[in-house]
Amino acid sequence: MCRHKLLCLATAIAALSTGIRAAEIPVMEEVVTTATRTARPLDSVTASVQVINASDIRRMGAQTVKEVFENTPGLTLQYGTFPSASSVSKSSVSLRGMGANGTLWLLDGRRLSGEVKNPYDMDRLPASMIERIEVVKGPMSALYGADAVGGVINIITRKPEPGLQGDISARFGANDEGDSGNGNLNGNIRGGSERLLFNLYVSQQDTGPYKELEHTDTRLPVAVAPPPLQAVRGSYAVPVSYREDSQVQTIGGRGEVLATEKLTLGMEFNWFEEDREGSYRAAFHPTGFSPLPGLLVPAFDVPVRSVDDNTRLDIATDLRFDFSQRLSLDLRVYRSDYRKRNVTTMTQYADFAFPSEAASAIDGLKANVGIESVEALVNWSVNDAHLLTMGGELRREQRDATAFSQSTDLATREVGYQALFLQDEWAVTDSLDVTLGARHDGYDQDEYVDSHGHQRRDSTDSEVTWRIGAVQRFNDAFSLRANYAQGYRVPDIRELFIQKRTPMGYQLGAQAIEPLYNKQAQDLAPETADSFELAARGTWHRFNYETALFYNSIQNLIQQVAVDATGNGRDDYLTFMNVSNATTYGLEAHLGYAMSDTASLTLAWTELRTENEETGKDLEFNPERVLALRTDWQALPRLALGATVNYTGEQYYVAGDREQTAADYTLVNLNVAYALGAELRWQLYAGANNIFDQKVDKRIGSNPGPFLFLGLRGSF
């Protein structure tokens, strides 16, 4: 079925372009910064970089970063990997099979405080504030340190410009049954003089729920229910939220002052507040019946309601001082503070011996997360051949959370990082560029008192990572790139310290001690990776292409493991271990074709293979094949049309103790934009996603079916 749709659309595109004059369309070379921390033309960068610019985002009609990534080939969204009942509605990005934990997220180069794995942030960040997104694939620890084992996603917001410019947009959408409705209103104003610049953006996003009915397999840990729990039924109908009811308000901006001809000062901020609500199936929730003091009988697979009230404030100051044309200093200090308040209650509270739904709210998660960082960067153009980048970073992360014990009190865990790095961008010849880099990271865990009153000592460790890459440009039609890079990921706070009966089960971090199950503290080594890449790119007449072969070797893979400590045939708790080594390898290819001066065609193709070397099984949630075909046609001076076909192949995963394979699926999206007025400053745009109502396995994200949206945007 999917192949027929792809063939039909390709045939229609070919027919559409028949008779349109063929012409060469010049390709503007992208300048990127994330791969080297310097502004470099894309064709001289030795790493693999995918750029999503503002025009791409406008063409999609995307409302959030999540919608941008859903419509960008080569990026895999992984669902359901977070420690809450609402995880089925949350996703994060995996690059080249390295998992959601292996992607480092940055906003204008800054780390973000928030959830473990940043599952929410794609829905929080409005697409209207984005100038471009740079996705660097492959380990980047030699430049960014921990967590960049799979790559880096840097979301770059719009920057101030002299004069006065602004944008405003509004969009509303819903599926064909009126569910999953969402609307947003965005505004941006920027301008100033040559010496004083500013940028301010605001956004309001409202998303309606999309739910699918499921039935629980509810059970108690006893053969005969005690009288207070005899109303508990074996199954409940639950409308599971695969899209949450949410409201997100965002405001942010930047100001710059050219203090002298050599000194530029800047300040930026980003603030959001969000409210979320959904209904879910929780693997675990305590009942209201207590046979002994301090002991609540648990229930398994039960209907719950999850409500979130979250806020974050990021503040940064920076300066740039140009000592000369060849030597400059960048200094930045920033802080990111995140506050999470989650309440999870039982919707059928009376059956489970609670007097009210509010009384069942004993399983919520609360957290205050803070990141403080000081970064210094020196760029020294030693001569025409060598550009040295030298830098250092001091960063401290603190997490106060209820996840470290069964208590509702906040407990604290703190981690510090210190780093030095050096990079040389070497122009060996006019056509050969080489990049060499190395970084030393030290990190320490502060002492703390665990949930059983044991004093745990502080600990320190360090990592050194390297990278070397080269790109040889033979001519415009062919350049060859080779790259070797190392990466590492330090176990996150959840993997180390969580000690909580969560809606996903009893989770015990590697360092947690639980005498009930004879669980002892265990060390977790960092995941490390060695990556090899060989790529080619070029332009020829109306064609442009890029293809890359990659291979990643992962050591000390960290995975969540279910443990039957009592031998009763059930999983007593979940913990984290270095279970094995793993490999991921594959092919990425991109082909662009300018059919005319008004029509273009883009094909993206990814082949991915993964293996857990201990079990011989695939790594979870990694499609073996992803294909995307995109066409854009400026049918009239005011009318633009577009269509996209996205094919996602089969994915392996484990549900409970059963191995599953999610079926492949194909989504077909259409979009149109019409310019209003003689100056073409206003556009009316619309789109239809998943027009063939393709079903998607719930475990990998589900889909609300055909989705229609209509919007208006303008600029001044």
Side-chain angles (χ1 to χ4, degrees):
M1 185 66 172
C2 65
R3 294 182 179 85
H4 294 166
K5 291 175 186 173
L6 192 64
L7 179 61
C8 289
L9 184 60
T11 304
I13 293 168
L16 188 68
S17 61
T18 301
I20 299 177
R21 180 177 58 85
E24 295 186 21
I25 296 181
V27 178
M28 298 297 292
E29 184 60 76
E30 295 272 9
V31 175
V32 296
T33 59
T34 309
T36 59
R37 291 196 172 186
T38 59
R40 299 287 292 177
L42 188 57
D43 68 351
S44 67
V45 174
T46 61
S48 180
V49 182
Q50 183 174 1
V51 180
I52 309 166
N53 57 41
S55 61
D56 295 330
I57 295 171
R58 285 171 64 88
R59 183 201 70 218
M60 300 171 189
Q63 175 175 286
T64 64
V65 171
K66 180 179 179 180
E67 290 187 9
V68 173
F69 287 162
E70 286 176 334
N71 288 281
T72 300
L75 302 178
T76 301
L77 273 62
Q78 293 188 342
Y79 285 79
T81 60
F82 314 110
S84 67
S86 64
S87 66
V88 296
S89 65
K90 310 295 190 302
S91 62
S92 196
V93 176
S94 173
L95 300 175
R96 294 182 171 177
M98 300 297 284
N101 262 1
T103 303
L104 174 62
W105 284 69
L106 302 173
L107 178 64
D108 289 321
R110 307 187 311 269
R111 291 174 181 253
L112 300 172
S113 60
E115 312 288 330
V116 177
K117 301 185 185 178
N118 295 310
Y120 291 74
D121 283 312
M122 288 191 294
D123 287 320
R124 288 170 172 161
L125 298 173
S128 60
M129 69 186 240
I130 299 170
E131 179 63 33
R132 69 185 187 277
I133 301 173
E134 295 181 5
V135 182
V136 186
K137 299 178 180 179
M140 289 298 294
S141 293
L143 201 55
Y144 292 97
D147 307 324
V149 67
V152 177
I153 294 176
N154 190 11
I155 300 167
I156 301 168
T157 59
R158 294 185 172 187
K159 296 299 180 282
E161 299 175 1
L164 185 64
Q165 305 92 35
D167 302 277
I168 188 170
S169 65
R171 197 196 86 165
F172 177 78
N175 71 2
D176 58 339
E177 297 181 355
D179 297 327
S180 193
N182 63 50
N184 74 329
L185 181 65
N186 303 288
N188 176 279
I189 186 169
R190 55 199 181 277
S193 64
E194 293 293 335
R195 288 190 171 272
L196 180 61
L197 297 170
F198 74 93
N199 175 42
L200 181 68
Y201 55 82
V202 295
S203 172
Q204 169 73 40
Q205 303 176 62
D206 294 282
T207 303
Y210 169 68
K211 301 181 178 183
E212 295 190 15
L213 190 65
E214 299 182 11
H215 293 83
T216 67
D217 181 18
T218 303
R219 63 187 186 279
L220 299 170
V222 291
V224 179
L229 298 176
Q230 287 184 350
V232 173
R233 304 196 299 270
S235 181
Y236 293 87
V238 183
V240 176
S241 300
Y242 285 91
R243 306 290 186 276
E244 288 184 311
D245 186 4
S246 68
Q247 297 81 41
V248 182
Q249 298 86 38
T250 304
I251 182 171
R254 176 175 174 83
E256 287 184 5
V257 178
L258 183 60
T260 70
E261 293 300 319
K262 293 186 175 183
L263 177 63
T264 302
L265 303 175
M267 176 173 287
E268 53 195 15
F269 76 100
N270 177 271
W271 172 88
F272 79 79
E273 181 176 11
E274 70 176 350
D275 297 293
R276 294 183 173 276
E277 181 176 347
S279 54
Y280 300 97
R281 296 171 60 181
F284 164 90
H285 197 288
T287 69
F289 175 58
S290 177
L292 296 172
L295 176 63
L296 294 174
V297 173
F300 302 95
D301 196 0
V302 295
V304 298
R305 188 191 327 276
S306 176
V307 178
D308 271 285
D309 177 10
N310 307 319
T311 60
R312 182 170 64 212
L313 175 62
D314 303 324
I315 298 177
T317 60
D318 57 80
L319 68 82
R320 179 182 177 88
F321 189 82
D322 296 313
F323 295 95
S324 67
Q325 290 185 341
R326 290 187 175 273
L327 182 64
S328 65
L329 167 68
D330 289 276
L331 181 65
R332 176 168 61 185
V333 179
Y334 70 86
R335 181 175 177 87
S336 180
D337 286 296
Y338 176 68
R339 178 184 180 275
K340 176 183 178 65
R341 294 297 182 265
N342 170 268
V343 176
T344 302
T345 58
M346 304 188 82
T347 56
Q348 305 295 326
Y349 59 88
D351 290 2
F352 295 89
F354 286 108
S356 66
E357 184 172 344
S360 69
I362 58 177
D363 204 31
L365 294 174
K366 301 177 182 178
N368 300 322
V369 185
I371 296 177
E372 295 177 339
S373 180
V374 179
E375 299 175 350
L377 190 71
V378 175
N379 285 314
W380 179 26
S381 182
V382 181
N383 51 43
D384 292 340
H386 291 276
L387 173 59
L388 294 182
T389 299
M390 300 165 282
E393 179 184 9
L394 295 175
R395 188 174 78 254
R396 191 141 200 90
E397 300 182 13
Q398 176 177 316
R399 186 175 295 262
D400 304 327
T402 60
F404 305 131
S405 71
Q406 301 309 312
S407 169
T408 57
D409 296 333
L410 296 171
T412 301
R413 302 290 184 270
E414 290 189 62
V415 182
Y417 297 86
Q418 314 86 40
L420 293 172
F421 57 89
L422 175 64
Q423 174 183 268
D424 182 14
E425 295 175 75
W426 178 20
V428 183
T429 68
D430 290 342
S431 61
L432 175 61
D433 289 292
V434 174
T435 301
L436 305 99
R439 174 167 169 142
H440 178 274
D441 283 274
Y443 52 95
D444 55 85
Q445 166 64 51
D446 286 2
E447 64 180 8
Y448 64 96
V449 177
D450 68 16
S451 62
H452 295 287
H454 300 129
Q455 182 75 31
R456 309 295 289 276
R457 295 180 178 178
D458 57 4
S459 61
T460 61
D461 208 338
S462 63
E463 294 286 338
V464 177
T465 48
W466 303 82
R467 64 185 288 236
I468 180 171
V471 56
Q472 173 68 58
R473 297 177 298 280
F474 294 95
N475 49 49
D476 290 343
F478 181 68
S479 64
L480 188 64
R481 184 178 75 236
N483 192 54
Y484 165 74
Q486 295 178 323
Y488 79 100
R489 183 179 77 83
V490 176
D492 63 43
I493 287 178
R494 172 192 171 217
E495 292 166 334
L496 287 172
F497 304 118
I498 189 171
Q499 189 157 353
K500 193 77 171 179
R501 292 191 180 274
T502 75
M504 300 300 288
Y506 192 13
Q507 299 204 15
L508 296 174
Q511 287 290 318
I513 297 174
E514 177 51 88
L516 178 63
Y517 297 120
N518 196 30
K519 165 70 170 63
Q520 302 299 315
Q522 296 177 315
D523 290 329
L524 270 184
E527 286 184 355
T528 59
D530 293 278
S531 175
F532 303 87
E533 180 186 63
L534 184 64
R537 72 189 306 264
T539 60
W540 183 71
H541 296 290
R542 292 168 287 158
F543 291 92
N544 65 82
Y545 72 92
E546 181 166 0
T547 182
L549 294 168
F550 61 89
Y551 178 89
N552 298 312
S553 175
I554 310 164
Q555 296 81 45
N556 295 317
L557 182 68
I558 299 173
Q559 284 190 334
Q560 183 173 273
V561 177
V563 178
D564 176 8
T566 57
N568 60 8
R570 288 203 199 104
D571 298 332
D572 293 304
Y573 65 87
L574 303 168
T575 191
F576 298 89
M577 299 179 181
N578 296 112
V579 297
S580 69
N581 297 334
T583 56
T584 76
Y585 59 93
L587 164 73
E588 294 172 342
H590 173 97
L591 175 65
Y593 175 56
M595 296 181 290
S596 74
D597 54 359
T598 60
S600 64
L601 183 68
T602 301
L603 174 66
W605 171 32
T606 301
E607 291 284 330
L608 175 65
R609 302 294 182 268
T610 66
E611 182 182 9
N612 180 320
E613 294 183 359
E614 180 175 306
T615 65
K617 304 290 186 181
D618 292 340
L619 301 181
E620 290 188 85
F621 305 112
N622 289 292
E624 292 188 347
R625 178 174 297 114
V626 176
L627 289 169
L629 181 65
R630 171 77 192 180
T631 180
D632 291 286
W633 180 34
Q634 191 69 42
L636 297 170
R638 295 189 180 189
L639 180 64
L641 305 174
T644 306
V645 179
N646 291 309
Y647 168 79
T648 303
E650 295 181 344
Q651 301 180 46
Y652 167 84
Y653 66 91
V654 178
D657 58 353
R658 297 177 58 189
E659 296 182 2
Q660 304 281 344
T661 300
D664 59 349
Y665 60 92
T666 301
L667 303 179
V668 180
N669 304 332
L670 305 175
N671 62 278
V672 57
Y674 183 76
L676 306 173
E679 295 183 350
L680 307 181
R681 290 186 173 181
W682 290 89
Q683 273 192 337
L684 186 67
Y685 66 98
N689 296 337
N690 192 11
I691 61 174
F692 292 106
D693 194 15
Q694 178 72 68
K695 302 301 180 185
V696 178
D697 189 308
K698 296 177 183 179
R699 191 69 174 84
I700 59 173
S702 188
N703 191 283
F707 186 88
L708 310 176
F709 62 86
L710 176 67
L712 178 68
R713 57 194 174 210
S715 61
F716 60 86

